[in-house]
Amino acid sequence: MKCMVCQAVLTASDYCPKCGSYIKAQKKAGALSNLYYNQGLEKAQIRDLSGAVTCLKRSLKMNKLNIQARNLLGLVYYETGEVVAALSEWVISKNMMPEGNQATVYIEKLQKNQNKLDAINTSIKKYNQCLEYCRSGNEDMAKMQLKKVLTVNPKFIKGYHLLALLYLKNEEYEKARKSLKAAAKIDKTNTTTLRFLKEIEEQTGRATNLESRFRIKEKEEIQRDGSMVYKSGNDTIIQPPEYREKSVTNTLVNLVLGLLVGAAALWFLIVPAKTQKINQEANRKIAEYSGKMATMSAELSKMEEEKNASTESVNTAKTQIEEAGIKAESYEKLISAQQAFQQGKYDNAANAIVGVDPDQLSVEAKGVYDTIMQSVGTQVKKKYKDQGLNAYGTGNYEEAITYLEKALDIGPQDSETLIFLAQAYEEKGDTGIANKWYKKVIDDFPGTQYATLAKNYMQANGGVIAEDEPEEGTEEGENGENPEGAEGSPVQQGETVEE
């Protein structure tokens, strides 16, 4: 274990050998984390996956750097069909310990097995479609789709629960019981499974045995009349003897009758005229060709449907993989920013936090993001602003608008960013939006050089300025410069005017 203050290796003492910090509480938390990890491992080995998840979450709460607990939590999630949650845990584990981490092997194996990844993506898509069917009342389609989901992903516990819920609604208790028993084989102590089984037991009055039962069918004896007597459990089954013809006369009679019937049938087939034969042959060929055409048409339609379904599945898989990549990248950037922030490298933290998409973060991760932004927000705002100005200078107005608007969202707004944003919209051709930003500069920064420039540009664009607004153009700017003496805007001069 390492000291959480200076990262030095700890000894048996209650104090850090390097920085002298009191680390008894840290050691106790580490010991509790290991205890919960061992309990989670024991529960996972007996397929108590719900209990394992609870213990492993407690272990990580005590020590978030417990790599073994995080990797095992990902495996438990994967075993219950929660692939996205498993990937999230493995990505966090990989970033905490890049070298010699088993999570790297898990991620690579999952990414290399493209067929399995496609199957998982398909099952997730179909499960979401089942939820839509249930909300719209189309329960039969939901059942059919869920059976396909469980065929592709037989460990998806949520699929078994939803299927059992549909059976319960239609009072098909035995089918629901069968679905829940399959879920119990994956996770023995899942509370949802046990709650649904209790409901079935109350409705049917019969308990559910989750243990496997094998019955051996044993032959007991052969009776004199040729019948077989079997015993299956507590039941006795008597199989009657097979009927056998024992009379030679009856056999000969049946043979003669068969020959007569065959001769009569042959006679009636030969009698029809040649015309009738030709018509029958023609009709047969027409029917044969029609059948072949119908078969080929059906196969063509089926192949077209499979092609469309495959294309849709591939597109969905690509979209989900891209979204998972974006989410993982945001977490990696956030972790890098947090590490740099804890080490006092605020410039590095600002550079890393820029690449984080806060919409992809969980509530806990969003709190970490907000904490870092409170300290390095000014640097991030300047970075966005500089990127926007550089993009404007190269004529990339779309990119300039994106970065300048991000800069305005951080901290107080400044007139320079507003005037450049308005200029970018004007260069792009959106004069209406440009006039809106010019109006904001005039209203929020009256009497400044930028307010005068904004009024001139707004009037040139045909914008309407209220008559009761002051004539900013007759006053000096904050730096004592006369705006009328400037040739064009700061954007055209290539200068940045500080407020």
Side-chain angles (χ1 to χ4, degrees):
M1 180 180 292
K2 295 182 179 180
C3 177
M4 61 186 299
V5 178
C6 64
Q7 301 300 314
V9 178
L10 300 179
T11 60
S13 174
D14 291 339
Y15 295 90
C16 176
K18 183 176 180 181
C19 65
S21 300
Y22 186 69
I23 42 82
K24 185 175 181 180
Q26 181 184 349
K27 284 187 174 181
K28 186 175 182 180
L32 285 173
S33 177
N34 293 333
L35 175 63
Y36 285 130
Y37 165 73
N38 292 330
Q39 292 178 354
L41 180 60
E42 292 176 357
K43 291 180 181 294
Q45 289 173 344
I46 61 173
R47 300 206 69 81
D48 181 6
L49 302 185
S50 297
V53 169
T54 302
C55 291
L56 293 172
K57 285 184 175 180
R58 290 177 180 174
S59 175
L60 293 175
K61 189 174 182 180
M62 292 296 170
N63 181 12
K64 66 179 180 180
L65 299 178
N66 194 333
I67 301 300
Q68 290 181 327
R70 195 173 295 277
N71 291 343
L72 181 58
L73 181 59
L75 288 174
V76 173
Y77 278 140
Y78 184 81
E79 187 66 16
T80 57
E82 301 290 340
V83 181
V84 176
L87 276 174
S88 299
E89 296 297 334
W90 291 336
V91 168
I92 295 173
S93 175
K94 177 183 175 183
N95 282 277
M96 287 182 174
M97 190 176 76
E99 300 296 334
N101 193 339
Q102 190 66 21
T104 305
V105 180
Y106 299 151
I107 296 173
E108 290 178 354
K109 284 185 178 180
L110 186 59
Q111 291 176 344
K112 287 180 180 179
N113 194 345
Q114 189 63 34
N115 293 332
K116 189 169 185 179
L117 191 60
D118 292 340
I120 292 171
N121 290 329
T122 302
S123 64
I124 293 173
K125 176 186 174 185
K126 289 184 178 180
Y127 177 76
N128 293 333
Q129 185 65 44
C130 291
L131 294 177
E132 294 297 329
Y133 285 147
C134 293
R135 293 188 184 101
S136 60
N138 197 348
E139 298 174 1
D140 293 334
M141 288 296 297
K143 291 178 184 177
M144 295 173 61
Q145 197 78 297
L146 277 173
K147 291 178 181 178
K148 294 180 181 179
V149 170
L150 296 176
T151 300
V152 175
N153 190 0
K155 294 183 179 180
F156 194 31
I157 291 183
K158 289 184 178 179
Y160 290 111
H161 289 167
L162 183 57
L163 183 60
L165 193 61
L166 292 173
Y167 284 140
L168 283 173
K169 183 178 179 182
N170 296 328
E171 298 183 357
E172 297 176 308
Y173 299 116
E174 294 306 320
K175 292 183 179 180
R177 194 196 304 270
K178 182 178 179 181
S179 178
L180 292 172
K181 288 176 72 174
K185 290 181 181 179
I186 302 171
D187 185 3
K188 291 184 178 180
T189 60
N190 188 280
T191 55
T192 303
T193 303
L194 298 178
R195 187 172 68 252
F196 286 175
L197 284 174
K198 184 177 181 182
E199 177 68 22
I200 294 173
E201 292 171 359
E202 291 178 354
Q203 294 295 331
T204 60
R206 185 166 64 88
T208 303
N209 185 9
L210 298 179
E211 300 295 331
S212 300
R213 293 180 296 178
F214 301 94
R215 295 184 177 181
I216 303 176
K217 183 179 180 183
E218 300 178 351
K219 185 171 76 171
E220 188 174 275
E221 60 179 342
I222 301 176
Q223 301 293 336
R224 292 183 178 180
D225 58 355
S227 61
M228 296 285 185
V229 179
Y230 295 94
K231 193 168 185 180
S232 179
N234 296 325
D235 299 330
T236 301
I237 301 172
I238 301 176
Q239 179 179 348
E242 297 180 358
Y243 175 75
R244 296 179 181 178
E245 186 65 59
K246 298 181 180 180
S247 175
V248 177
T249 304
N250 290 337
T251 303
L252 293 175
V253 170
N254 290 336
L255 181 60
V256 171
L257 288 175
L259 292 174
L260 292 175
V261 171
L266 183 62
W267 172 260
F268 285 111
L269 289 174
I270 296 175
V271 169
K274 292 182 179 181
T275 305
Q276 186 177 2
K277 290 182 180 180
I278 294 173
N279 291 336
Q280 288 178 350
E281 185 68 19
N283 292 333
R284 186 185 65 79
K285 289 184 178 181
I286 292 173
E288 182 180 354
Y289 292 149
S290 299
K292 288 182 179 180
M293 291 180 65
T295 302
M296 292 176 64
S297 178
E299 291 179 354
L300 183 62
S301 300
K302 183 179 179 181
M303 291 174 65
E304 188 69 24
E305 291 177 357
E306 291 178 353
K307 176 186 174 183
N308 295 335
S310 299
T311 304
E312 185 179 355
S313 298
V314 170
N315 293 335
T316 303
K318 288 181 178 178
T319 302
Q320 292 178 347
I321 291 172
E322 290 175 358
E323 291 176 354
I326 294 173
K327 187 173 183 179
E329 184 179 359
S330 295
Y331 274 101
E332 290 179 356
K333 293 287 186 181
L334 180 61
I335 293 171
S336 300
Q338 185 184 19
Q339 292 174 348
F341 181 75
Q342 290 176 347
Q343 296 172 2
K345 299 177 181 179
Y346 300 114
D347 291 337
N348 296 340
N351 293 331
I353 203 71
V354 168
V356 177
D357 185 1
D359 296 333
Q360 301 291 335
L361 303 178
S362 63
V363 176
E364 183 180 358
K366 185 67 165 56
V368 177
Y369 173 83
D370 293 337
T371 301
I372 298 174
M373 283 295 293
Q374 288 177 359
S375 299
V376 300
T378 303
Q379 294 168 277
V380 176
K381 177 181 179 71
K382 184 178 183 303
K383 187 175 182 63
Y384 281 140
K385 182 177 178 181
D386 293 341
Q387 290 175 336
L389 295 179
N390 292 334
Y392 182 91
T394 59
N396 191 347
Y397 302 116
E398 285 285 354
E399 185 176 344
I401 290 171
T402 300
Y403 285 121
L404 291 174
E405 287 182 344
K406 286 183 178 181
L408 289 176
D409 290 338
I410 302 174
Q413 296 181 349
D414 61 283
S415 58
E416 184 181 12
T417 304
L418 288 170
I419 198 73
F420 273 97
L421 178 60
Q423 285 277 283
Y425 273 112
E426 184 176 348
E427 294 292 343
K428 185 183 171 185
D430 295 336
T431 56
I433 301 178
N435 288 338
K436 182 190 75 171
W437 292 110
Y438 286 141
K439 182 69 165 58
K440 186 169 182 60
V441 175
I442 296 171
D443 294 340
D444 295 351
F445 302 95
T448 63
Q449 181 181 3
Y450 288 122
T452 303
L453 292 174
K455 179 178 179 182
N456 294 336
Y457 286 130
M458 188 173 179
Q459 289 175 341
N461 289 335
V464 179
I465 301 176
E467 295 180 357
D468 56 349
E469 292 182 357
E471 294 292 333
E472 293 87 345
T474 60
E475 299 178 4
E476 292 185 351
E478 287 183 333
N479 294 326
E481 300 177 359
N482 190 345
E484 297 296 335
E487 296 180 1
S489 68
V491 177
Q492 295 169 338
Q493 294 180 33
E495 299 178 359
T496 301
V497 178
E498 299 292 341
E499 292 186 66

